[in-house]
Amino acid sequence: MKRAGIEENLLAILDSVSDSKHTPDANDDRLAFLEAVRSACIVNENPPTSKMREAVFQILRVGKSLELITESFRLLNELDKRFPRVYLSEKEASESSHLVVVEEGWSPFLFNLEKASREREAGGRSISGPLDSSGFLQLMQELAEVANERKLQALEIKSLRNMLLFKYLVNALEGDFLPRNRVYEETMNWTHLRESLLNMLLSTRRINYKGLMKDCLSIMCGLFGVSAGISDDLESPDNAASKPSHNGNTASALALFELGNNACIALQKLLIMIMDLDMSRKKADMQGYTTRADGVRTPLMEIILDELSYDTDMLSPFLKNDLQVFNEPKWKLEIILQYFSKYTTRLSTRTRRSNGPTEDATTFSGVLNCFSNITNTRSISKKIKADVVQVLLAHAFQAHLSSSSQQDADGISASKDEGRSTSLVEICENIISAFSNLRRTDAKMEILPIGKEALFTAATILSTETGAHV
Amino acid sequence: MDAPLDFEFEDPLLNSPVIVKKSKKVIGLDDLLTDHYQEKSKVIERESKRAKAKKKYDSDEDDFDKEALLSKQINECHNQMQEMSGEAEIATWGVHVFGTQKPLPVLTLPELGSCSLLRSFMSSELNSLVELTTEKVETFLEGLLVNGWLSKLVNTCSYMEKSIAKWTFYLMLYSSKEKLRASACDFWCNILFPRVKTEKLPIRIEWFPSYCELRSALETYGFLFNYLSRTESIINNSGVRGPPKNIRAWIKFVAACCCVRNKRPVFSTSEAEELVEVAVFLSSDRQLEGLLVLLDEFVQSVISYFTDEEWNISCEKIARSISCRRVDVHSLLISFACRSPRDLNCLQTVECISGVSTRGNHLRSAISYQILLNCFDNKASNEEEILSFLISINVKDRSCDLFQMYIYLVLTENWLLSNPMFELKPVIYEMWGVYLRNCSCQITSTDMRPYASKGSLKFEPAVQVLSIQNTISF
C-alpha cells in the first residue's frame, strides 16, 4: 500500500504533462518527477513500481532538453542497478548460482505480440510504452542516418537522445543476458536464454535480422567518425567565429563526443553479446535442447565475414574502421582467424603433409606460418589482396597483444591454446617476416600506415624482450 | 479575485488571439494563474470597450482610429502579460564556471625527436620497410597512439619514458583534435587501470603529472577558481568562453587518478578537497549538461579518494567552502546582473551529488546544512535554531516568498533525509514534522502564488517517506 501511495503521489507530479508538451513548465515538472523518484527509490530505497519506471523511460524517449534526457538516462540505469529484474541469487560457494527473474518487473522491451498490439490500440500513439522489435529497428535506422550522413544534424537533441536511448537499451539487454548466460553455461538449460530479451529481440520475424546487423556494422564506423569528425568541424575557426557565444552549441557538441563515443561502445557490447548468444545457441543446438520454435538465425560471425569479403576493390568500411573500433581482443582475433581460414584451409592441408601438423590457420601463429615463406605468401596474396592482408595481420597482432596481457592478468596458463601457443618473441619475429615476405612478393607494394605501426611495435618489443633476456 | 461574469464567456470579442495562445498552455494550478491573467486582460479589454461605447455617439469615421487604439491596447496588454508571466517563470539553475579561455599552449616537445623508442628503431635495418624519418616522427607517433599501439607497447615493455608521457599528457589536455585527445585519454586510463591487478602500477612511468599541471590546465580553460574574479570575465566579452572540448578528457583523467590512490597517490588531501569543489561546480554549468553521467562518476571517484578518517574532516570542510563560495556567487549575481535572489543553483549544488553512496549522502546533507545556515545569515547557528526559524515562517502571509520556502524545503529534506546516520536528535525530526505539516496545511491547493504547487508536490513524498521510515509518527 505504501508503494502505491508513493506511486500515486509521484505520478501526480506529471499530471499536467503530456508527451507532446515541452513548455518550460512541463519540463520542470518532469525534472521534479525525476528528482522525486530518485529521492524515493535510490536515496530511500523504496523499490520503484513499473508505472514509475515507465514514466521515467517515457521522459527519455520524448525529452527535448539535454538535462531531461541525461537525467532520465542516469536514473534508469541507477534503478536497474539497484533493483534488477534478472539477477543471480547469492548462495553458498558450493552451490551453483540460481537465476531470479522478477516476472512482474518492468522492462523497456515488450515482445509479446498480442500485448503490444493491444497496448497500441489502447494508446493510439506510436511512441509510448516499452519498445517492441520494430521500435528498436526504427531506432537503429535513425542512428544509421545520423552516422552515415555525418552532418551537424547529429547535434540535434533527437540524435543525442537516440544515442542515449540506445545505450540504455543495450544496458538493459546486458543486465538481462549476462546472468542468464552464466546460468546457462553452468546448467545447460536453454530455456533461460530462450527467454532472454536479446534472444526474443533477434528471433522475432517482424524484423529483418540480417539488415539490422548490417546496420549495426555501418553505424559503428559511422558514429565513430561522427563523434570525432564533427568535433573538429565545430572547432574550426569559421564555426567559432560565427557562433562565439552559442552556449547551447557548446553543450551539445560536448555531449556529442561523450554520447557518440558511448553509443559506439554500447554497439560493440551488443555485437559481443550476440556472438556469445550465438555460441551458446550452437551448443544448445548440438545437444538438442533447441526446438523448431527457436527458428533459424544466421550467426553474426557469418554476417561479419560476408561484410569483410563484400567489397574486394577497396577496403571495406568494416576493415577500415570497424576493426579499429571493435577492440575486444577475443572476438576480434576470432573474426580475423575465421576469415583467413576461409582462404587458407586448402593451403594448410597441403602444407600439413609436408611440414607437419603445426600449420593450422585456426591459431594466430598458424596464420603467421602461412606467410613464413615466399611461395605460400604468394599463393595467399592471389586470393586476398595485399592491403587486406596487411590490415588483418596488424589487427590480429594487436588483438594477440591485448589478449596475451589479459591472460597474464587472469593467471590462466592452462588455456586450450596453450599447447600450440607461441612465445611473444616468436610472434613478433613472424610478423616481421610476414611483412617482409609480402614486400618480396610485390616490390611495389606500399606498406600501409597500420602495417608500419605493427612492424614498429613488433621490432620494439623484440628488442626489449631479447635485450632483457641477454 | 472576481469571477468572470457569465456573459463574458459568450462575448466573441474576447477571443483575442492572445488569450487563445495562453489558454492552451497549462492546466492545473498554473492554469489558475493563467486565468488570473486572462481575467486581467479581460478587465482591460472591458475598459477599452467601455471607452469605445462611450464614444459611440461620435461619428463612425473614428472607427478606424478606435480599432487602431483597441489593437494598440491589446498589444500593450499582451506585452504586459508577457512581462507578468516572465516574472512568474521558473528560474533555472546554471552558472558560468568558465570565463575567458586562455590560448591553449602550442604543443612543441623538442625531446620527442630524441625519444629513445624511435631513435633505436630508425637505425635498425627494418626501417627500410617503415621508412621513418625525423620529420615524420610526430605523425608516426600520432598513428601509434590513435591506433592503440602505444598502449600495447607500454604495457608489454612495462615502461614509459618521459617524453612519451609528457607528449600524450599535453595532447590530452590541449590538442584541438578530438581523435588525438580521446586516444591520449584512453592511453592514460589504460595505464592507470591495467588488467593485471597488482599493488603497484606494473608500468614504470618516468614522468607523472602533478595536481599543479591539472590545475593550471583548468585555469587555461578559463575555470574561475577565484569566484570573485568572475565579474571581469562576465563583463569582458571578448575572447572565447571556456571550456574547450578537452574538459572531457580532463575529467576522465582526474577521475581515473582518483581511483588508483593505493597504487599511486596523486593528490594531497587539500588538493582532493579542492577537486570535490571543482566537480560540484562543474556540475552547475549548463555547458557541461551532456556530461552528466561522466560528472557523476567524477564526483563519486573524488569523494572515494579520501580515507575514512580524512573524509569525516574533509566533508565538513568542503561543505563549508562550497556554501561560502555559493554565497559569493549569489551576491555577485544580485549586484552585477541585477537578478532577483531567486537562485536554484544552490539546489543544483546539492542535487548534482548523487546519493548512491554513503559519502555522497553525507556530503549532500552537509552542504545542505551549511547553505541553510548561510541562508539565515547567522540568525540560526545550530540544527534546532534552523528548524524553529523555519517553523516560525508564516506561509499564509501573502508576502511570504514561496520560492524561498521551496528552496528551504528541498534543502531541509536533503539535509535530514540524506544524513546517512540518522544521528541527529529525535527532536530534530519532530520539528521537521511540524514544519512539513505547517506547509501542507497552510498552502492550499488553490494558492495562486508561484511555487505553491511545487512546494506541495515536494513535501508530499517527503511526508510519506518520513512516515514510512517511522522516524516520526503523524
Side-chain angles (χ1 to χ4, degrees), chain B residues 152-172:
Chain B
K152 304 277 178 306
L153 266 175
V154 169
N155 268 320
T156 315
C157 306
S158 309
Y159 167 67
M160 170 155 71
E161 61 181 297
K162 187 177 173 187
S163 56
I164 295 288
K166 273 194 159 176
W167 177 69
T168 47
F169 179 72
Y170 286 113
L171 271 188
M172 172 170 76

Side-chain angles (χ1 to χ4, degrees), chain A residues 167-411:
Chain A
K167 182 161 188 225
Y168 171 67
L169 293 175
V170 172
N171 285 354
L173 287 172
E174 194 188 26
D176 175 78
F177 175 75
L178 292 186
R180 283 173 190 276
N181 200 37
R182 229 186 93 192
V183 171
Y184 169 76
E185 276 166 5
E186 281 170 16
T187 63
M188 289 292 148
N189 183 349
W190 171 247
T191 329
H192 290 316
L193 280 180
R194 180 189 289 145
E195 286 167 1
S196 68
L197 291 177
L198 184 65
N199 188 48
M200 289 197 279
L201 171 71
L202 298 177
S203 54
T204 165
R205 288 197 198 104
R206 295 171 65 208
I207 56 168
N208 176 356
Y209 161 75
K210 261 194 185 173
L212 178 68
M213 290 303 103
K214 283 183 181 166
D215 271 350
C216 283
L217 297 178
S218 79
I219 292 169
M220 190 149 85
C221 64
L223 269 185
F224 185 69
V226 164
S227 53
I230 284 189
S231 54
D232 295 341
D233 284 358
L234 284 175
E235 269 154 341
S236 70
D238 331 333
N239 251 310
S242 61
K243 294 169 189 167
S245 59
H246 211 300
N247 274 342
N249 219 19
T250 317
S252 27
L254 263 177
L256 178 68
F257 303 146
E258 181 66 14
L259 305 186
N261 192 24
N262 284 348
C264 249
I265 296 170
L267 197 54
Q268 182 177 330
K269 232 190 228 172
L270 177 68
L271 296 179
I272 292 171
M273 265 195 295
I274 296 176
M275 290 194 272
D276 281 335
L277 176 69
D278 285 342
M279 215 161 71
S280 296
R281 166 76 196 258
K282 205 173 155 191
K283 270 190 234 157
D285 278 343
M286 286 193 302
Q287 289 168 335
Y289 291 128
T290 50
T291 64
R292 279 178 70 190
D294 282 313
V296 209
R297 191 162 53 77
T298 326
L300 176 58
M301 178 70 83
E302 279 177 33
I303 299 176
I304 292 181
L305 291 176
D306 274 358
E307 278 296 282
L308 267 180
S309 31
Y310 165 63
D311 220 338
T312 44
D313 283 344
M314 50 178 166
L315 290 183
S316 75
F318 186 89
L319 273 178
K320 238 161 59 191
N321 294 310
D322 283 3
L323 274 182
Q324 196 193 329
V325 187
F326 193 86
N327 52 22
E328 200 277 328
K330 186 185 115 199
W331 283 111
K332 187 170 173 164
L333 194 56
E334 188 65 29
I335 291 168
I336 298 172
L337 292 183
Q338 293 227 9
Y339 182 81
F340 271 122
S341 73
K342 272 169 73 173
Y343 295 94
T344 52
T345 15
R346 221 180 302 148
L347 181 86
S348 54
T349 42
R350 206 191 313 140
T351 47
R352 187 170 287 167
R353 247 173 264 143
S354 51
N355 290 358
T358 45
E359 310 270 328
D360 187 356
T362 56
T363 64
F364 183 43
S365 48
V367 167
L368 285 176
N369 271 336
C370 300
F371 295 92
S372 57
N373 62 55
I374 298 183
T375 335
N376 284 352
T377 309
R378 194 167 279 143
S379 74
I380 294 176
S381 300
K382 276 178 197 153
K383 293 175 194 153
I384 316 176
K385 278 190 64 185
D387 287 1
V388 179
V389 172
Q390 285 189 44
V391 174
L392 290 177
L393 282 181
H395 277 293
F397 179 44
Q398 211 173 52
H400 179 84
L401 285 177
S402 327
S403 63
S404 65
S405 72
Q406 207 170 355
Q407 270 176 15
D408 290 348
D410 299 341

Side-chain angles (χ1 to χ4, degrees), chain A residues 117-130:
Chain A
S117 62
R118 213 188 308 139
E119 295 221 343
R120 186 156 304 152
E121 274 165 33
R125 273 168 304 175
S126 58
I127 187 166
S128 168

Side-chain angles (χ1 to χ4, degrees), chain A residues 9 67 235 258 398 453, chain B residues 93 147 245 248 460 464:
Chain A
N9 264 319
E67 190 183 7
E235 269 154 341
E258 181 66 14
Q398 211 173 52
E453 286 154 17
Chain B
W93 58 270
N147 292 323
K245 313 288 181 292
R248 217 180 110 233
E460 270 175 39
Q464 209 130 35

